[in-house]
Amino acid sequence: MSNPTLLILAGDGIGPEVMAQVERVIAWFGDKRGLAFDVENDLVGGAAYDKHGTPLHDDTMAKAMAADAVLLGAVGGPAYDDLDFSVKPERGLLRLRKEMDLFSNLRPAQCFDALADFSSLKRDIVAGLDIMIVRELTSGSYFGEPRGIFEEDGQRVGINTQRYTEAEIDRVARSAFELARRRGNKVCSMEKANVMESGILWREVVTAVHKADYADVELSHMYADNGAMQLVRAPKQFDVILTDNLFGDILSDCAAMLTGSLGMLPSASLGAVGENGRPKALYEPVHGSAPDISGQGKANPIACILSFAMALRYSFDQGEDATRLETAIEKVLSGGARTGDLMGPEGGKPISTTEMGDAILAALDASL
Ligand code: IPM
Ligand code: MG
């Protein structure tokens, strides 16, 4: 049997720096755990624009469709701010999500004990936090039509459309319920049914799916604004949060900061399960390209490495090795290793991106 394939799209800014550490981790699992992957690298975002004049070349799109999993670093940067909207780096990422039909975006927010004092919230509010945001990723106001900037009565109007079909809500709701069954068995669905028809439909469909097939899971509903408030008031009340594309974008940044640093948060974007028994899948850190620190060896590679751990778990059914990697990272953090983003109240000397990679590989060696 041939090895599973990974397409690596390191992208822009700190993307290539953090991805270099992920490649070392991938090689480690090949050498030491017999989990060999065929890895191919390609361009996305500004890097692809610089070479091809488009943030995602059709050949790269085809490779992503064929790969067993895609690992993405980050896209965007100030050099691309003035580009036409249609070729902005972010369009490359959105095209991947849309054409791969990655409707279920899993964003875990877990507070590592060693970092509980780094959160902007008090330790007892975040210590032990383990929530999962399931964000719908292929529809809603990111993609709804009509959209654009139009002339109307002598002035311009900017239009985006919040639009969800029953089928779109149904499938992402199912993925949230399935996930909840493997965790704390609770789903809180967030929308704005008090002001938006799309929210009313969202609530109806989620309720119907629950009643039909997942009545064993505890379901609650919350308006998304209240959800944002509850996330900073008492985040441990949640297990799985199910929400749409735009609310999920905002709520997941908020949840990320509960854990101490955006440099810690991985994500998985999953589509339907294909003939090979695997879902179409893209794994990426929640953080962006961080142009302010890019090229300086300061970036924290953990979010990107944890994204590979999610790939092991969700694409390759290697839950045990995913846990091995997560545990190695936890050990490194409790041993005091810190990149600059993790400089807490106690201060200290930050280590570099590569040194963090070294420490994680050493902890992996120790796990054998
Ligand atoms: C995210 C990012 C993206 C989004 C950007 C880079 C297009 O903020 O993945 O959360 O808005 O979805
Ligand atoms: Mg975002």
Side-chain angles (χ1 to χ4, degrees):
M1 279 224 331
S2 54
N3 296 327
T5 56
L6 288 176
L7 176 66
I8 294 189
L9 304 173
D12 306 323
I14 61 171
E17 296 165 55
V18 294
M19 196 58 88
Q21 304 311 312
V22 178
E23 295 207 50
R24 296 172 73 198
V25 170
I26 293 170
W28 186 92
F29 277 93
D31 292 346
K32 304 284 170 67
R33 295 288 304 150
L35 294 173
F37 294 97
D38 288 341
V39 176
E40 190 176 352
N41 289 271
D42 208 337
L43 303 172
V44 69
Y49 177 82
D50 289 340
K51 177 137 184 242
H52 303 299
T54 163
L56 190 75
H57 194 277
D58 289 344
D59 292 348
T60 314
M61 187 65 239
K63 284 184 206 170
M65 293 299 275
D68 288 313
V70 179
L71 305 183
L72 189 136
V75 295
Y80 309 104
D81 279 353
D82 297 328
L83 287 185
D84 185 72
F85 185 75
S86 64
V87 290
K88 276 197 189 296
E90 291 77 7
R91 305 308 305 167
L93 174 58
L94 293 171
R95 181 176 173 201
L96 283 164
R97 290 174 178 173
K98 186 72 180 171
E99 289 190 27
M100 292 171 76
D101 201 18
L102 306 172
F103 60 86
S104 178
N105 180 217
L106 278 39
R107 299 190 160 190
Q110 231 172 324
C111 184
F112 286 81
D113 201 48
L115 301 183
D117 290 320
F118 292 55
S119 173
S120 44
L121 301 188
K122 295 188 190 84
R123 170 178 264 277
D124 59 313
I125 292 184
V126 296
L129 178 77
D130 179 6
I131 61 183
M132 176 74 87
I133 296 189
V134 176
R135 167 190 178 194
E136 199 291 327
L137 202 59
T138 53
S139 187
S141 49
Y142 273 57
F143 297 99
E145 300 280 346
R147 65 181 299 169
I149 299 176
F150 305 96
E151 279 287 317
E152 211 177 276
D153 300 330
Q155 64 170 340
R156 293 181 308 153
V157 299
I159 297 181
N160 291 92
T161 301
Q162 169 77 332
R163 179 180 193 279
Y164 271 105
T165 65
E166 291 181 287
E168 287 168 340
I169 302 167
D170 183 291
R171 63 180 185 172
V172 72
R174 283 177 195 281
S175 76
F177 288 126
E178 292 288 339
L179 208 66
R181 278 186 178 155
R182 289 188 267 138
R183 300 171 40 97
N185 214 35
K186 281 202 306 195
V187 171
C188 181
S189 171
M190 297 187 186
E191 28 55 17
K192 286 282 289 175
N194 50 346
V195 287
M196 298 167 78
E197 286 81 357
S198 57
I200 293 176
L201 186 69
W202 182 280
R203 194 176 280 219
E204 274 178 25
V205 174
V206 171
T207 304
V209 168
H210 175 254
K211 189 167 175 232
D213 292 321
Y214 298 96
D216 55 301
V217 180
E218 188 183 320
L219 171 66
S220 59
H221 303 275
M222 206 177 259
Y223 299 137
D225 54 342
N226 183 25
M229 194 260 278
Q230 295 299 334
L231 268 176
V232 291
R233 193 187 73 85
K236 285 190 259 180
Q237 70 185 281
F238 299 115
D239 176 29
V240 172
I241 293 175
L242 165 65
T243 191
D244 78 8
N245 204 344
L246 183 58
F247 293 140
D249 181 45
I250 296 164
L251 294 170
S252 64
D253 264 32
C254 179
M257 268 323 286
L258 304 174
T259 69
S261 169
L262 206 47
M264 294 293 302
L265 275 254
S267 80
S269 304
L270 306 175
V273 176
E275 274 165 26
N276 60 4
R278 296 192 178 106
K280 282 241 173 314
L282 179 144
Y283 299 88
E284 56 174 322
V286 171
H287 64 66
S289 58
D292 53 320
I293 57 161
S294 93
Q296 301 168 39
K298 287 182 182 170
N300 181 356
I302 292 179
C304 204
I305 295 174
L306 286 172
S307 300
F308 175 63
M310 291 188 86
L312 288 174
R313 180 170 291 118
Y314 294 106
S315 283
F316 303 113
D317 214 13
Q318 303 291 340
E320 216 173 286
D321 278 291
T323 305
R324 176 191 298 277
L325 180 50
E326 289 157 357
T327 309
I329 289 170
E330 210 173 329
K331 289 221 167 92
V332 164
L333 292 171
S334 50
R338 302 276 185 266
T339 41
D341 57 305
L342 301 176
M343 287 291 113
E346 79 267 30
K349 186 180 170 308
I351 63 172
S352 71
T353 309
T354 312
E355 286 166 334
M356 184 58 96
D358 295 342
I360 292 167
L361 290 175
L364 281 172
D365 279 335
S367 78
L368 290 174

